[in-house]
């Protein structure tokens, strides 16, 4: 069975189609959700719900298109919503965001020779956690899922410009901070 | 920024946090099954269920009793059937400016009202983003009275009322003007919508209509979407063929000396749901059992074979936790087993109440952002060793990283005399022996500081066992 056949089976209510997709994408999906929620239990719950929703919503899905971006978008969005509702996120004001993002940018720059260092990974991980859920989701989509802006905007139901703004906000702020530092 | 290096870092971090052997399919299949049961509401007639119930009661030699006419409705949870159950007369859908709100289901029982509604068609740009709205000063942070522990990487929950998002404030208005508010429940969402399963206080049996009010679409930016939704609802007696599984309460006499007890049994179409309690026997009163991790529980049949089970959560864990015990529930797949089943818990999480430890560190009079102190605090908490503490000055406070005895799940640090304005923390999963915490302050303290650790959660080991079979009476520990 390939992905297209699996989606066709899923559309017919055949759970074996879902099983194929779960096996193929569950690890990446849980890792994506975990990078945003930092809670394995929550991440698994999010992904389970997304698969269940996919089972119900797949009728409207065009099986000629890849399943992964469509599904991962729902995982990212559900993770952000979960965090926004869970009250686990410390609210950070703009001023704090600058400090945190500057720190993240510095970490990213400084890791060129030592990216394998667990300590550096921990530092990035901690800096990432201090971003807001939405900013964290943007970083995860861009760098972990390697989604293009076009992919991020597709099938969103919103204006491309709005989506681009949403998905690039953290990256642009990072760039600005880096530029200011180099000018200084 | 080097995108490849960032990707490599995130992949390495994710590999450390989420193992390759994730297997979600059993829970997904169970979720689909429950949803199917919930939406079709078709199986045995109530009369047949009553007969089954009576038969089971007779077979068990009166070891069971029907407690308060409790029933279990898949997708809804436990309901008190001591008065006629009522349901939504029909689903109600309202569409405004492309947003569709559907009240899909309601169940009204003597003890609660359950209402399920779905919102679809939310534009992504309507969700509130950071910095939008009126903002405001962060409230002082308070830790919830019972630490929420989840498998994997548990975090301490903080409350904060900072909100730049719409809060739906769903409620029901009865004909006499009285308001019925949410008492519990949850929701899940997807890209353009969400479904809410909330419980409300019970509605008097003589009231057969209400107006469901939703102030705005939860999580969106105020003013972007239609607000003040008012949806009239009508309730009718539940149909006789509605699927309601009886909840059979196990009656016990005297004070149980067993850590594990079975208190309720539900026979479903394809198995059993067992619900019980865990109490620690012979431990000091400040050792408060809190939870069990799924992989510490196993259920075996009479020949020692592992039985296929799923954690059962529908409505079981709601309510206030009783000190000294926690509730557990598992769904056993299938009815053809070699009885009796043996339920074993190898370990449990416990909270150590009124347990604290302190150590000092000197941040100096002018600590700099990024400055780090690594200490050997030479302290124990309830006999568990705190091996190393790394403290870093951040822009708004201090970040703590503790290396601890791996049996410590979590604790909370505070700097004595300096209440933090916000904070967050967690661990790297049970057994990792690493706890991290960030505390933020309006004016971060400096100088000689005393760090106090409290709200300690640790793991203690059993095993504890109980046996059960459908005909078993009385239940044997």
């Amino acid at each position: 069975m390939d992905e297209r056949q699996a989606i066709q089976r899923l559309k017919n209510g055949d759970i074996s189609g879902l099983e194929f997709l779960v096996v193929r994408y569950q690890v990446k999906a849980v890792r994506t959700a975990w990078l945003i929620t930092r809670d394995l239990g929550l991440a698994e719950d999010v992904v389970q719900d997304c698969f269940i929703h996919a089972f119900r919503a797949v009728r409207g899905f065009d099986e000629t298109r890849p399943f992964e971006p469509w599904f991962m978008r729902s995982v990212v969005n559900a993770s952000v919503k979960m965090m926004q509702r869970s009250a686990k996120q410390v609210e950070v004001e703009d001023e704090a965001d600058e400090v945190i993002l500057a720190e993240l940018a510095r970490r990213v720059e400084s890791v060129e020779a030592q990216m394998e260092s667990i300590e550096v990974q921990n530092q990035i991980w901690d800096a990432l956690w201090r971003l807001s859920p939405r900013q964290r989701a943007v970083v995860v989509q861009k760098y972990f899922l390697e989604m293009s802006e076009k992919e991020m905007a597709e099938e969103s139901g919103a204006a491309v410009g709005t989506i681009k703004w949403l998905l690039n906000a953290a990256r642009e702020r990072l760039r600005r901070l880096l530029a200011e530092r180099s000018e200084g | 920024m080097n995108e490849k290096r960032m990707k490599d870092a995130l992949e390495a971090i994710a590999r450390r946090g989420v193992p390759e052997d994730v297997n979600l399919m059993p829970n997904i299949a169970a979720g689909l099954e429950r949803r199917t049961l919930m939406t079709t509401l078709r199986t045995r007639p109530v009369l047949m269920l009553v007969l089954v119930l009576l038969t089971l009661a007779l077979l068990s030699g009166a070891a069971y009793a029907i407690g308060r006419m409790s029933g279990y409705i898949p997708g809804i949870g436990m309901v008190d059937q001591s008065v006629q159950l009522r349901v939504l007369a029909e689903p109600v859908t309202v569409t405004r400016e492309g947003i569709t709100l559907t009240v899909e289901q309601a169940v009204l029982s003597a003890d609660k009202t359950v209402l399920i509604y779905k919102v679809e068609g939310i534009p992504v740009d309507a969700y509130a983003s950071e910095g939008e709205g009126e903002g405001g000063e962060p409230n002082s942070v308070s830790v919830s009275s019972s630490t929420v522990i989840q498998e994997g990487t548990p975090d301490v929950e903080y409350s904060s009322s900072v909100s730049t998002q719409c809060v739906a404030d769903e409620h029901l208005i009865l004909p006499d003007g009285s308001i019925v508010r949410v008492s519990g429940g949850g929701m899940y969402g997807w890209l353009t919508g969400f479904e809410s399963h909330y419980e409300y206080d019970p509605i008097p049996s003589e009231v057969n209509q209400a107006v469901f009010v939703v102030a705005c679409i939860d999580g969106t930016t105020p003013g972007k979407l239609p607000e003040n939704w008012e949806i009239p609802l009508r309730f009718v007696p539940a149909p006789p063929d509605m699927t309601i599984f009886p909840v059979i309460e196990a009656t016990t006499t005297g004070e149980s000396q067993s850590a594990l007890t079975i208190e309720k049994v539900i026979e479903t179409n394809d198995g059993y749901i067992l619900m019980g309690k865990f109490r620690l026997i012979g431990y000091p009163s400040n050792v408060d059992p809190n939870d069990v991790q799924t992989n510490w529980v196993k259920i075996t049949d009479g020949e020692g074979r592992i039985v296929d089970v799923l954690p059962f959560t529908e409505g079981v864990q709601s309510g206030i936790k009783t000190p000294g015990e926690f509730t557990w529930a598992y769904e056993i797949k299938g009815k053809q087993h070699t009885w009796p089943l043996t339920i074993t818990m190898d370990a449990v999480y416990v909270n150590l109440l009124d347990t604290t430890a302190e150590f000092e560190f000197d941040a100096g009079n002018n600590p700099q952002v990024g400055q780090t102190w690594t200490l050997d605090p030479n302290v124990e908490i309830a006999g568990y060793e705190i091996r190393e503490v790394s403290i870093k000055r951040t822009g708004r406070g201090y970040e703590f990283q503790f290396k601890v005895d791996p049996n410590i799940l979590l604790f909370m640090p505070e700097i004595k005399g300096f209440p933090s304005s916000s904070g967050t923390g967690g661990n790297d999963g049970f057994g990792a022996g690493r706890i991290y915490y960030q505390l933020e302050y309006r004016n971060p303290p400096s100088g000689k500081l005393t760090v106090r650790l409290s709200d300690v959660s640790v793991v203690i080991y059993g095993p504890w066992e109980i046996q059960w079979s459908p005909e078993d009476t009385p239940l044997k520990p």
Side-chain angles (χ1 to χ4, degrees), chain A residues 26 31 38-40 56 77 81 85 87 90 93 108 112 115 121-122 126 130 132 143-144 146 162, chain B residues 1 5 7 9 12 16 18 22 24 32 125 127 130 138 153 158 188 190-191 218 401 423 436 440:
Chain A
Q26 61 182 350
R31 285 176 174 169
R38 202 173 184 166
D39 183 317
L40 186 55
R56 294 188 296 137
N77 195 62
K81 291 186 79 170
R85 294 198 171 96
V90 177
E93 296 163 7
V108 172
E112 291 189 3
M115 182 52 77
Q121 289 168 11
N122 285 341
D126 289 342
R130 301 191 68 196
S132 69
Y143 298 107
F144 182 70
E146 293 185 293
T162 304
Chain B
M1 183 186 332
R5 290 183 189 281
K7 174 180 171 53
R16 284 163 51 199
V18 180
V22 169
L24 303 181
L32 287 169
D125 60 356
Y127 288 115
E130 276 58 42
T153 55
Y158 281 93
Y188 71 93
W190 53 92
L191 189 63
D218 207 49
Q401 294 201 20
Y436 49 83
E440 299 191 347

Side-chain angles (χ1 to χ4, degrees), chain B residues 147-431:
Chain B
T147 302
V148 175
I149 293 183
Q150 309 203 22
E151 290 181 39
T153 55
D155 278 359
V156 174
E157 287 196 347
Y158 281 93
S159 66
S160 170
S161 66
V162 175
S163 177
T164 58
Q165 311 171 1
C166 274
V167 177
D169 188 29
E170 304 99 329
H171 57 272
L172 292 154
I173 300 178
L174 305 188
D176 66 356
S178 57
I179 293 176
V180 180
R181 296 205 176 273
V182 171
S183 58
M187 62 199 305
Y188 71 93
W190 53 92
L191 189 63
T192 56
F194 61 86
E195 188 168 282
S196 159
H197 293 232
Y198 278 154
E199 291 182 8
Y200 299 75
D201 292 335
I203 292 177
S205 58
E206 68 278 11
V207 177
N208 286 318
Q209 53 187 335
V211 175
F212 180 52
V213 177
V214 179
C216 61
I217 304 302
D218 207 49
T220 60
T221 302
K224 278 202 170 180
L225 298 181
E227 298 182 348
N228 302 315
W229 298 71
E230 295 191 359
I231 301 169
L233 304 178
R234 195 165 55 85
F235 309 117
V236 297
D241 61 346
M242 184 173 180
T243 300
I244 309 171
F245 298 112
V247 178
I248 302 160
E249 296 195 1
T251 56
T252 55
T253 55
E255 192 68 24
S256 171
Q257 292 301 306
S258 307
L260 278 168
T261 54
I262 293 173
E263 306 211 330
K264 292 177 182 175
V265 178
I266 301 169
E267 182 180 6
T268 62
N269 287 340
D270 59 353
Y272 298 92
I273 297 165
L274 303 182
M275 288 176 278
K277 286 185 175 169
F278 179 94
R279 301 178 182 90
L280 273 177
I281 310 296
Y283 279 76
S285 60
N286 73 317
V287 181
D288 182 22
N290 186 296
D291 203 354
V292 64
Q293 195 163 289
T294 304
N295 61 359
W296 294 340
V297 180
K298 69 171 183 262
I299 300 182
T300 51
D301 69 10
E303 296 178 0
R305 293 172 299 210
I306 298 289
V307 174
D308 187 19
V309 298
L310 286 171
F312 180 79
T313 56
E314 277 185 54
V316 175
Q317 302 290 347
S318 63
I320 298 167
K321 180 185 176 303
T322 304
E325 64 186 37
F326 66 79
T327 303
W328 55 267
Y330 289 92
E331 185 173 358
I332 294 164
K333 291 293 183 187
K335 297 183 180 179
Q336 305 301 316
H337 298 290
T338 305
W339 308 103
L341 303 184
T342 301
I343 301 153
T344 306
M345 289 189 185
D346 289 329
V348 296
Y349 292 124
V350 299
N351 292 335
L352 301 178
L353 309 176
D354 305 320
T355 301
T356 60
E358 292 182 357
F359 64 91
E360 293 184 344
F361 88 100
D362 189 350
N365 291 329
N366 187 27
Q368 301 298 303
V369 172
Q371 189 174 346
T372 302
W373 301 263
T374 300
L375 313 174
D376 174 3
N378 193 26
V379 294
E380 291 184 346
I381 189 162
Y384 297 94
E385 188 184 5
I386 314 293
R387 292 170 183 160
E388 186 182 301
V389 185
S390 174
I391 305 169
K392 187 172 83 172
R393 176 62 187 257
T394 62
R396 314 190 90 197
Y398 292 92
E399 177 184 294
F400 296 84
Q401 294 201 20
F402 298 90
K403 291 180 182 173
V404 300
D405 184 312
N407 288 309
I408 300 180
L409 181 75
L410 204 63
F411 51 65
M412 191 182 75
E414 61 176 327
I415 297 176
K416 274 180 80 173
F418 299 94
S420 58
S421 59
S422 64
T424 189
N427 63 22
D428 276 349
F430 169 68

Side-chain angles (χ1 to χ4, degrees), chain A residues 15 18-19 22 26-27 30-31 34-35 37-42 44-45 47-53 55-56 73-74 77-78 81-82 84-97 99-100 103-104 107-109 111-115 118 121-126 128-130 132-135 139-140 142-146 155-159 162-163 165-166 171 174-175 178, chain B residues 1-25 27-32 35 104 118 122-125 127-132 136-138 148 150-160 162-165 187-195 198 218-219 369 392 394-396 399 401 422-425 427-428 434 436 438 440 442:
Chain A
I15 200 167
L18 183 64
E19 194 163 4
V22 170
Q26 61 182 350
V27 173
V30 173
R31 285 176 174 169
W34 181 75
L35 284 169
T37 63
R38 202 173 184 166
D39 183 317
L40 186 55
L42 274 184
E44 290 182 346
D45 287 348
V47 176
Q48 283 164 199
D49 284 346
C50 287
F51 274 120
I52 289 169
H53 176 64
F55 184 78
R56 294 188 296 137
R73 263 196 301 276
S74 71
N77 195 62
K81 291 186 79 170
M82 176 74 86
Q84 288 173 336
R85 294 198 171 96
S86 71
K88 284 188 174 182
Q89 178 67 28
V90 177
E91 293 288 340
V92 285
E93 296 163 7
D94 286 348
E95 183 188 354
D97 281 356
V99 173
I100 295 161
E103 185 177 353
L104 177 59
R107 300 294 182 214
V108 172
E109 273 200 333
V111 298
E112 291 189 3
Q114 50 175 337
M115 182 52 77
I118 288 177
Q121 289 168 11
N122 285 341
Q123 289 169 345
I124 291 174
W125 180 223
D126 289 342
L128 190 65
W129 177 243
R130 301 191 68 196
S132 69
R134 179 148 297 189
Q135 288 170 325
V139 173
V140 169
K142 178 66 185 172
Y143 298 107
F144 182 70
L145 296 176
E146 293 185 293
E155 300 176 34
S156 63
T162 304
I163 291 300
W165 176 84
L166 279 171
R171 189 181 63 181
L174 278 169
R175 282 178 176 162
L178 287 167
Chain B
M1 183 186 332
N2 187 320
E3 297 186 3
K4 174 70 165 55
R5 290 183 189 281
M6 187 63 160
K7 174 180 171 53
D8 289 346
L10 290 180
E11 285 196 336
I13 292 165
R15 276 197 302 273
R16 284 163 51 199
V18 180
E20 287 283 348
D21 59 353
V22 169
N23 181 13
L24 303 181
M25 200 57 213
N27 283 345
I28 292 169
L32 287 169
R35 188 158 295 280
E104 297 181 317
K118 182 166 70 177
I122 303 172
V124 175
D125 60 356
Y127 288 115
S129 58
E130 276 58 42
E132 276 191 299
E137 293 291 309
V148 175
Q150 309 203 22
E151 290 181 39
T153 55
D155 278 359
V156 174
E157 287 196 347
Y158 281 93
S159 66
S160 170
V162 175
S163 177
T164 58
Q165 311 171 1
M187 62 199 305
Y188 71 93
W190 53 92
L191 189 63
T192 56
F194 61 86
E195 188 168 282
Y198 278 154
D218 207 49
V369 172
K392 187 172 83 172
T394 62
R396 314 190 90 197
E399 177 184 294
Q401 294 201 20
S422 64
T424 189
N427 63 22
D428 276 349
R434 181 173 179 263
Y436 49 83
Q438 289 153 358
E440 299 191 347
R442 300 232 165 275

